[in-house]
Amino acid sequence: MKVIIVGAGEVGYHIASRLASENKNVVVIDKDPDSLRRVSENLDVQVINASGSSPTVLEEAGIKSAEILLAVTNSDESNLVACLVANMLSPATKKLARIRSSDYDDYHEMFKKEAPYIDTVINPEIEVVNTIQRLMKVPCAVDMGELAGGRVIFVGLVLDEKSPMSGVKLMDFGAMFGQSRPLIAAVVRNEELIVPRGHHILEPGDLIYFICEHGRLEETLRLFDKDVRPVKRVMIVGGGRIGHRLAKSLESQAIQTKIIESDMARCKFLAERMNKTIVLNGDGSDQKLLIDENVRDTDVVIALTHDEETNILVSLLAKNLGAHTTITKVSKFSYFPLMSTIGLKKVVSPRLSAISTILHDVRKGKVLTAVSLLREEAEMIEAMALETSAITGKPLKKIAFPKGAILVSIIRNDIIMIPTGESIVEHGDKIIIFARRQAVSKLEKMLTVKLEFF
């Protein structure tokens, strides 16, 4: 697969890193020599210092032989033009554009229907708002996502000492919990990602990723001694585009919402456009202001300013002052490993949301959904089982899955099944697979053609 990436910023760099590690042919185009230097010094990819919307440059990059063009610069207009020019030169190339301005929100579908030079519109701000709202629905979760059209849920939560699952071998789950048992897809222990097998024992402090049917989420959480508490009061610190989008959505759900924003002009802008949300002008990292606004009675404090350090400080202060839970927006990937260490486990990132959306379109085989997890260390992949793939037609115990990959669910005729070694995937089944980053390349081949793996 050949992929051309226009834009060498954080999203472009990390997508290039991800695809290069999977032995894909990657070309990165950017006008900024400093951004390109970072790419060329750290990644095994081709770089071109020029405008990605230039037809001459795109031809030099090999657009006619590229399967995918990703336009992910910081300019919506540049991304649109790059896709337009790419379509003129190579209509068969799939084109994805990152478009962040809310001015385009109502036109995403129109772009794909009326302007066929864009196959997928990526708005990381919309995706991160969706992620925040999923986390708000399950306050005990540190990560959560939906697959199979929302019918299957994956949840990441930290195992408590009092949990009945602490000290239990996975092979004993069936005897303890019967058919209601959750399927454990991954365990993170001491920053190490483990794809567990039957002999693994769960320990307090483990970050557990499990899979369950949407309708059985509350029942499954009770097995972990967790519950779902409805969110009634929310405080948003930072009234930028994401804060504005989130507040508008919360208003429609009748959730009491406050926004704290330091810029007075932005406060006036927000106040004119909100119906029930309280807009306050102030510093969200001011301890006295948080106390005055009853942060201890707030269900969720969400730090969404443009400054990473401010978001971290706000979340730490809010936790210390008694807020039930916090959600922190962080864009710098280098900060991610530090967050759980300082006690901030619920972290969202527009850039990571953009990467998850892009991965869906990049994956080979009939992939329906691909969600990046654990700071890009793993993926949850939903795919259609093809007749030609190595995964169909024989018991799972006879299939040599790549190391670090596990089949976690089979969906057949709208019935969701937890697989066993005797289960057989049939042509047309939907399957959900958890895979470490290193296993994805082999897994793609496995989903496409009948190959054997060691």
Side-chain angles (χ1 to χ4, degrees):
M1 177 182 284
K2 181 170 187 174
V3 181
I4 296 175
I5 301 174
V6 179
E10 285 290 320
V11 171
Y13 176 87
H14 284 276
I15 282 290
S17 172
R18 187 67 174 266
L19 299 181
S21 70
E22 297 169 13
N23 299 315
K24 290 180 172 61
N25 183 1
V26 180
V27 182
V28 180
I29 306 172
D30 200 294
K31 293 188 291 186
D32 181 9
D34 293 330
S35 296
L36 277 183
R37 188 177 303 111
R38 179 192 180 200
V39 173
S40 62
E41 289 177 354
N42 293 284
L43 307 178
D44 183 17
V45 302
Q46 179 185 347
V47 297
I48 299 176
N49 186 199
S51 169
S53 56
S54 162
T56 304
V57 172
L58 288 176
E59 285 196 326
E60 178 190 345
I63 187 63
K64 292 179 181 177
S65 61
E67 293 184 43
I68 295 175
L69 176 128
L70 306 174
V72 292
T73 74
N74 289 325
S75 166
D76 292 344
E77 291 74 17
S78 295
N79 295 338
L80 288 170
V81 173
C83 288
L84 172 62
V85 174
N87 189 69
M88 293 165 51
L89 299 172
S90 179
T93 299
K94 182 183 283 189
K95 292 156 285 286
L96 290 76
R98 180 171 71 164
I99 300 177
R100 295 184 293 180
S101 173
S102 59
D103 293 344
Y104 293 105
D105 283 0
D106 296 332
Y107 301 94
H108 288 188
E109 289 303 315
M110 190 177 294
F111 273 129
K112 290 183 277 188
K113 291 177 181 177
E114 306 297 331
Y117 59 87
I118 299 179
D119 295 283
T120 301
V121 175
I122 304 159
N123 189 318
E125 293 174 0
I126 292 176
E127 295 302 321
V128 85
V129 167
N130 292 338
T131 300
I132 290 169
Q133 294 196 87
R134 285 195 297 269
L135 289 173
M136 287 172 56
K137 289 178 184 176
V138 186
C140 63
V142 300
D143 199 357
M144 183 177 173
E146 298 178 346
L147 300 163
R151 295 182 58 229
V152 176
I153 304 290
F154 67 84
V155 178
L157 54 79
V158 177
L159 201 66
D160 296 331
E161 286 189 11
K162 62 180 180 179
S163 170
M165 294 187 182
S166 291
V168 177
K169 282 185 180 180
L170 295 187
M171 64 176 63
D172 297 332
F173 268 36
M176 290 185 65
F177 306 110
Q179 291 300 314
S180 62
R181 71 189 187 280
L183 192 145
I184 309 299
V187 177
V188 180
R189 182 179 298 160
N190 299 323
E191 297 299 317
E192 180 187 358
L193 172 61
I194 303 167
V195 178
R197 302 298 177 187
H199 65 276
H200 279 102
I201 299 173
L202 301 184
E203 298 180 3
D206 286 350
L207 172 57
I208 307 292
Y209 274 85
F210 70 85
I211 304 286
C212 72
E213 294 181 51
H214 186 279
R216 297 175 63 179
L217 177 59
E218 292 192 32
E219 173 190 349
T220 305
L221 287 171
R222 283 195 291 271
L223 298 178
F224 286 92
D225 200 28
K226 305 282 188 180
D227 58 8
V228 176
R229 183 178 58 207
V231 171
K232 297 179 180 179
R233 291 173 293 276
V234 172
M235 180 182 293
I236 300 171
V237 178
R241 291 196 302 244
I242 296 175
H244 182 205
R245 285 181 189 276
L246 178 60
K248 291 291 287 184
S249 178
L250 296 181
E251 278 191 344
S252 68
Q253 301 171 50
I255 294 175
Q256 297 177 28
T257 307
K258 293 179 182 178
I259 297 179
I260 299 177
E261 168 58 45
S262 59
D263 182 80
M264 178 58 77
R266 184 66 182 178
C267 285
K268 291 178 180 177
F269 172 90
L270 294 168
E272 290 170 357
R273 287 160 176 79
M274 309 306 280
N275 296 320
K276 299 177 183 177
T277 299
I278 298 171
V279 181
L280 303 168
N281 178 233
D283 180 359
S285 61
D286 182 341
Q287 182 169 315
K288 184 177 184 304
L289 175 60
L290 293 178
I291 294 172
D292 290 344
E293 295 304 322
N294 300 313
V295 69
R296 71 167 60 185
D297 297 323
T298 301
D299 295 314
V300 186
V301 175
I302 308 165
L304 298 174
T305 75
H306 296 298
D307 184 78
E308 318 278 313
E309 290 76 13
T310 298
N311 291 339
I312 293 170
L313 178 59
V314 166
S315 293
L316 290 173
L317 274 173
K319 279 190 66 175
N320 190 53
L321 294 172
H324 294 161
T325 190
T326 63
I327 299 175
T328 314
K329 179 175 79 77
V330 173
S331 293
K332 293 178 183 176
F333 288 90
S334 58
Y335 280 9
F336 285 179
L338 304 174
M339 301 304 286
S340 60
T341 304
I342 61 176
L344 301 180
K345 298 186 182 298
K346 293 192 180 188
V347 179
V348 295
S349 166
R351 289 168 177 164
L352 198 57
S353 295
I355 289 170
S356 290
T357 306
I358 290 167
L359 286 175
H360 174 202
D361 286 86
V362 169
R363 291 284 164 249
K364 285 184 176 180
K366 200 160 185 181
V367 174
L368 306 174
T369 311
V371 182
S372 185
L373 301 173
L374 300 167
R375 303 185 300 273
E376 299 183 79
E377 287 302 313
E379 286 182 35
M380 199 73 76
I381 297 172
E382 177 191 354
M384 189 73 75
L386 303 176
E387 191 173 9
T388 57
S389 75
I391 204 170
T392 56
K394 54 185 175 181
L396 293 179
K397 65 183 181 182
K398 294 185 178 180
I399 297 175
F401 276 87
K403 185 179 179 180
I406 180 173
L407 179 66
V408 296
S409 186
I410 301 171
I411 304 171
R412 181 181 301 151
N413 299 325
D414 287 332
I415 298 174
I416 300 169
M417 300 176 285
I418 294 178
T420 67
E422 303 298 330
S423 300
I424 298 175
V425 176
E426 298 177 0
H427 168 53
D429 287 350
K430 288 181 182 177
I431 54 176
I432 297 174
I433 300 172
F434 177 88
R436 298 185 65 145
R437 177 174 179 171
Q438 296 87 341
V440 169
S441 181
K442 288 183 178 180
L443 190 60
E444 279 188 298
K445 295 176 184 177
M446 194 175 195
L447 292 171
T448 309
V449 296
K450 288 190 180 295
L451 294 174
E452 295 297 331
F453 295 95
F454 298 98

